[in-house]
C-alpha cells in the first residue's frame, strides 16, 4: 500500500485532495523532511523515528524490532489503548535534533513500533476514518443541545477504531464532562478532547489567502512557528493589523519567510536615526526600500515634506562629510548621470494609460458622427454655412484692395508730380 492512500486519499470515494462527495477536507501537499544527514556513517544508528498521523499530529517511537524503515512507510504503533496507524516522517540522526527542538529527552520512556502496517491494518483504519465526518456533524449538534460555547472542528479515529479524538476551539473554559459521557454512549468509543488554536483550525478548514493562493497552513506547512510584530518592523511594514493578520485573525505565517533576508540587507543601510544635513535644511529618514537600497528623506520628522530619494552609497557619503563638518548643497548628486536604457519607448506601449487614450479617440469619433447626423437632418442650414464660408474670403480681398488705394507712396518722384499738377 502506498503512503499517499494514508495522507491524501478519501476512505469513502478514494479521491485525492478535497473530496466533494463526502465533505472531507485533508491537508494537501505536506512537505516531507529532507534528510540532509543521510551521508553520515553513523546515520542509521539512532533507533527512534518520528511518525505523523492525521492533522499533522506527530510522535516519537522506538524501533526496537530492527526493521529498516524509510520516510513514507506505514507502521503500526502502540497507543493507549490499542494501536494506531501512522506514516514515518523522519528517520536517523535527524530525529535527535528534532527531539531536542521539541524538548523531548532521549532517556524518556517512549512507545514502540509494533510492525509495518499490513493490508488488514490499513483496511481497518480506513473503515474507522470513514466515520469521522458523520461523527463530527453529530457531535456538533450534541454540543449545541447542551449549550456549550465551543466549536468542534475535526474528529480523528484511532487506527483500530477504539478511540476518537475531538478537536475543538473555544474562547473560554468549557466544562465538557457531560459532553464526554454523551459522546461515549452515542459512539461506543473512548473519547479524548483536545483544544486547538485559531491557526490549527484554519489549517484544517483551508481557504484562500490575500496573495490569491491556498493557505500555507493547509497546503504544505507541518509545524507552526510563533510570529511576532518584530518581523513586521524588520521588514519596514506598516503596523496595520488588518494587513498583517491572516484568515485566522493572527499574524501571517509568511512574515517569517523573508525576515532573514531583510535583516541581512539592513546591515548595508545607514541607521534610521541618522540625520543628513545640507546647507538649507536637515533631512530625516521617511521610508526605505531595503532590498533595492533606496532611502527617502523628508525635511519634517513626522510628515512627508520635500521628499528626496537617494541611494544608500550616497547617504553614506553625506554622513561622512557631515562628520567632517561639511554640508552638501543637496542630497541628490547632480554629477551622477542617469542610466541610459537600451531601448526607447517610441510607440508608448509601456504606458498604463494607453488604453484610456484609445477610448478618448473613440469618443471624439462618436461626436463627429453625431454632428454629421445633425447636418443631414438640417440641409438648409448647411448650405447657408457653406455660402457664408465662401463669401468671407471675397470680402477680405475687397477690403485689402481698398486699403491699398488710399495708402500714399513715400517716393521722391511722387512729390515732384504733385507739384507740377
Amino acid at each position: 500500500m502506498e503512503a499517499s492512500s494514508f495522507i491524501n486519499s478519501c476512505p469513502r470515494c478514494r479521491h485525492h485532495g478535497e473530496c466533494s462527495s463526502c465533505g472531507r477536507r485533508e491537508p494537501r501537499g505536506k512537505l516531507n523532511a529532507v534528510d540532509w544527514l543521510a551521508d553520515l556513517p553513523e546515520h542509521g544508528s539512532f533507533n527512534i523515528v518520528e511518525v505523523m498521523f492525521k492533522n499533522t499530529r506527530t510522535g516519537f517511537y522506538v524501533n526496537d524490532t530492527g526493521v529498516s524503515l524509510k520516510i513514507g512507510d506505514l507502521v503500526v504503533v502502540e497507543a493507549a489503548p490499542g494501536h494506531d496507524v501512522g506514516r514515518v516522517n523522519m528517520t536517523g540522526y535527524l530525529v535527535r535534533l528534532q527531539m531536542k527542538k521539541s524538548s523531548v529527552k532521549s532517556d524518556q520512556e517512549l512507545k514502540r513500533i509494533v510492525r509495518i502496517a499490513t493490508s488488514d491494518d490499513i483496511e481497518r483504519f480506513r473503515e474507522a476514518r470513514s466515520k469521522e465526518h458523520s461523527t463530527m456533524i453529530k457531535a456538533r449538534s450534541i454540543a449545541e443541545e447542551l449549550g456549550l460555547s465551543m466549536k468542534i472542528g475535526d474528529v480523528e479515529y484511532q487506527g483500530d477504531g477504539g478511540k476518537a479524538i475531538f478537536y475543538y476551539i473555544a474562547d473560554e473554559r468549557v466544562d465538557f464532562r457531560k459532553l464526554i459521557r454523551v459522546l461515549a454512549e452515542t459512539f461506543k468509543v473512548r473519547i479524548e478532547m483536545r483544544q486547538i488554536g485559531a491557526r490549527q483550525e484554519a489549517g484544517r478548514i483551508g481557504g484562500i489567502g490575500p496573495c490569491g493562493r491556498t493557505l500555507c497552513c493547509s497546503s504544505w506547512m507541518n509545524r507552526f512557528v510563533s510570529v511576532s510584530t518584530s518581523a513586521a518592523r524588520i521588514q519596514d511594514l506598516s503596523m496595520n493589523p488588518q494587513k498583517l493578520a491572516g484568515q485566522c485573525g493572527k499574524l501571517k505565517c509568511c512574515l517569517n519567510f523573508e525576515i532573514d533576508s531583510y535583516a541581512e540587507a539592513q546591515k548595508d543601510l545607514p541607521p534610521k536615526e541618522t540625520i543628513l544635513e545640507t546647507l538649507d535644511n536637515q533631512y530625516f529618514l521617511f521610508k526605505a526600500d531595503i532590498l533595492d537600497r533606496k532611502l527617502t528623506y523628508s525635511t519634517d520628522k513626522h510628515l512627508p515634506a520635500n521628499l528626496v530619494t537617494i541611494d544608500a552609497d550616497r547617504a553614506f557619503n553625506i554622513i561622512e562629510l557631515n562628520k567632517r563638518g561639511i554640508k552638501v548643497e543637496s542630497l541628490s548628486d547632480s554629477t551622477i548621470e542617469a542610466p541610459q536604457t537600451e531601448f526607447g519607448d517610441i510607440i508608448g506601449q509601456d504606458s498604463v494609460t494607453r488604453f484610456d487614450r484609445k477610448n478618448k479617440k473613440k469618443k471624439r469619433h462618436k461626436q463627429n458622427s453625431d454632428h454629421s447626423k445633425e447636418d443631414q437632418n438640417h440641409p438648409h442650414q448647411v448650405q447657408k454655412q457653406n455660402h457664408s464660408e465662401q463669401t468671407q474670403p471675397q470680402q477680405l480681398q475687397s477690403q485689402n484692395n481698398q486699403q491699398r488705394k488710399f495708402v500714399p507712396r513715400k517716393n521722391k518722384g511722387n512729390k515732384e508730380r504733385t507739384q507740377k499738377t
Side-chain angles (χ1 to χ4, degrees):
M1 302 298 293
E2 296 180 358
S4 60
S5 61
F6 174 79
I7 295 299
N8 293 327
S9 64
C10 178
R12 182 177 299 179
C13 56
R14 307 296 175 85
H15 286 178
H16 290 269
E18 181 180 352
C19 180
S20 58
S21 60
C22 63
R24 182 195 61 82
R25 302 177 76 91
E26 273 287 339
R28 300 173 298 278
K30 296 294 181 180
L31 295 181
N32 295 325
V34 179
D35 194 357
W36 48 277
L37 299 174
D39 296 334
L40 293 179
E42 299 179 356
H43 174 264
S45 60
F46 199 63
N47 62 344
I48 299 177
V49 297
E50 184 186 36
V51 181
M52 177 180 288
F53 305 93
K54 184 187 174 184
N55 294 333
T56 66
R57 180 172 64 91
T58 59
F60 298 99
Y61 295 88
V62 181
N63 182 18
D64 56 356
T65 59
V67 181
S68 60
L69 299 174
K70 61 181 182 300
I71 296 175
D73 291 341
L74 300 181
V75 293
V76 178
V77 298
E78 291 180 348
H83 64 272
D84 202 353
V85 179
R87 183 178 69 90
V88 177
N89 188 44
M90 192 180 299
T91 60
Y93 188 78
L94 198 63
V95 182
R96 181 178 294 179
L97 301 178
Q98 190 65 28
M99 291 175 64
K100 186 178 180 180
K101 186 177 181 180
S102 303
S103 301
V104 178
K105 297 181 180 180
S106 58
D107 57 350
Q108 184 177 348
E109 293 184 3
L110 301 175
K111 297 177 182 179
R112 65 186 188 88
I113 295 176
V114 179
R115 61 181 178 273
I116 296 178
T118 60
S119 58
D120 295 336
D121 296 330
I122 296 175
E123 190 65 27
R124 194 181 302 111
F125 176 66
R126 285 178 173 174
E127 291 177 2
R129 290 193 66 184
S130 62
K131 307 174 186 177
E132 291 177 353
H133 183 70
S134 59
T135 302
M136 180 185 65
I137 299 300
K138 195 169 184 179
R140 286 180 179 178
S141 61
I142 294 172
E144 187 177 358
E145 292 175 0
L146 296 177
L148 300 177
S149 58
M150 59 184 297
K151 178 184 176 182
I152 299 176
D154 198 3
V155 178
E156 179 184 358
Y157 269 90
Q158 200 169 267
D160 56 356
K163 179 182 176 181
I165 303 175
F166 291 81
Y167 296 92
Y168 72 94
I169 183 172
D171 297 332
E172 301 176 355
R173 187 174 180 180
V174 181
D175 186 8
F176 46 75
R177 288 177 292 182
K178 187 177 180 180
L179 176 64
I180 292 176
R181 291 196 298 268
V182 176
L183 293 177
E185 293 174 359
T186 304
F187 302 111
K188 307 299 181 183
V189 292
R190 188 183 180 92
I191 304 299
E192 181 181 348
M193 305 295 295
R194 288 191 181 183
Q195 187 175 2
I196 59 176
R199 288 185 176 179
Q200 287 79 5
E201 185 189 20
R204 287 170 175 82
I205 295 175
I208 304 298
C211 57
R213 304 185 66 178
T214 310
L215 296 178
C216 298
C217 54
S218 64
S219 58
W220 61 269
M221 288 183 66
N222 292 332
R223 296 176 178 85
F224 294 95
V225 182
S226 60
V227 185
S228 61
T229 55
S230 61
R233 293 191 182 95
I234 291 174
Q235 300 178 50
D236 201 12
L237 299 176
S238 62
M239 304 303 292
N240 188 352
Q242 295 180 354
K243 293 183 179 180
L244 297 179
Q247 298 289 78
C248 59
K250 305 295 182 180
L251 292 175
K252 295 178 182 178
C253 297
C254 57
L255 292 176
N256 286 340
F257 294 169
E258 298 180 352
I259 186 172
D260 295 334
S261 300
Y262 277 87
E264 190 69 22
Q266 274 191 348
K267 296 179 181 179
D268 297 335
L269 298 179
K272 296 182 179 180
E273 298 80 10
T274 306
I275 301 174
L276 303 185
E277 297 182 359
T278 61
L279 296 176
D280 299 332
N281 213 329
Q282 292 182 348
Y283 287 85
F284 305 89
L285 181 64
F286 180 70
K287 65 177 181 179
D289 190 349
I290 300 174
L291 300 181
D292 198 19
R293 302 182 79 249
K294 297 291 184 181
L295 304 173
T296 302
Y297 286 89
S298 172
T299 54
D300 196 326
K301 192 173 183 179
H302 304 286
L303 298 175
N306 303 323
L307 297 179
V308 179
T309 303
I310 60 175
D311 191 58
D313 297 333
R314 174 62 177 171
F316 280 117
N317 294 334
I318 296 175
I319 292 172
E320 292 179 0
L321 294 174
N322 291 338
K323 288 180 179 179
R324 300 175 187 174
I326 303 173
K327 296 183 179 180
V328 296
E329 295 181 359
S330 62
L331 294 185
S332 59
D333 192 0
S334 59
T335 59
I336 300 176
E337 298 181 357
Q340 297 180 359
T341 56
E342 297 180 357
F343 61 91
D345 184 17
I346 302 174
I347 306 176
Q349 292 182 353
D350 294 340
S351 177
V352 181
T353 59
R354 63 183 184 274
F355 302 105
D356 301 336
R357 296 174 184 173
K358 293 182 179 179
N359 294 333
K360 290 180 180 179
K361 290 181 180 179
K362 290 181 180 178
K363 290 181 181 178
R364 292 177 181 175
H365 182 67
K366 289 181 180 179
Q367 291 176 359
N368 294 331
S369 62
D370 294 337
H371 287 303
S372 63
K373 290 180 181 178
E374 292 178 358
D375 295 341
Q376 292 178 0
N377 295 329
H378 303 283
H380 297 290
Q381 294 180 0
V382 175
Q383 290 178 1
K384 291 180 180 179
Q385 290 178 359
N386 294 332
H387 180 70
S388 62
E389 290 176 356
Q390 290 177 1
T391 54
Q392 285 179 0
Q394 294 177 359
Q395 292 176 0
L396 292 173
Q397 288 179 0
S398 61
Q399 290 177 2
N400 292 330
N401 294 330
Q402 291 176 2
Q403 289 177 0
R404 289 176 183 175
K405 290 180 181 179
F406 292 101
V407 174
R409 296 181 178 177
K410 296 182 181 181
N411 296 329
K412 295 181 180 180
N414 292 335
K415 291 182 179 179
E416 293 177 354
R417 289 178 183 176
T418 53
Q419 290 176 2
K420 291 180 180 180
T421 56

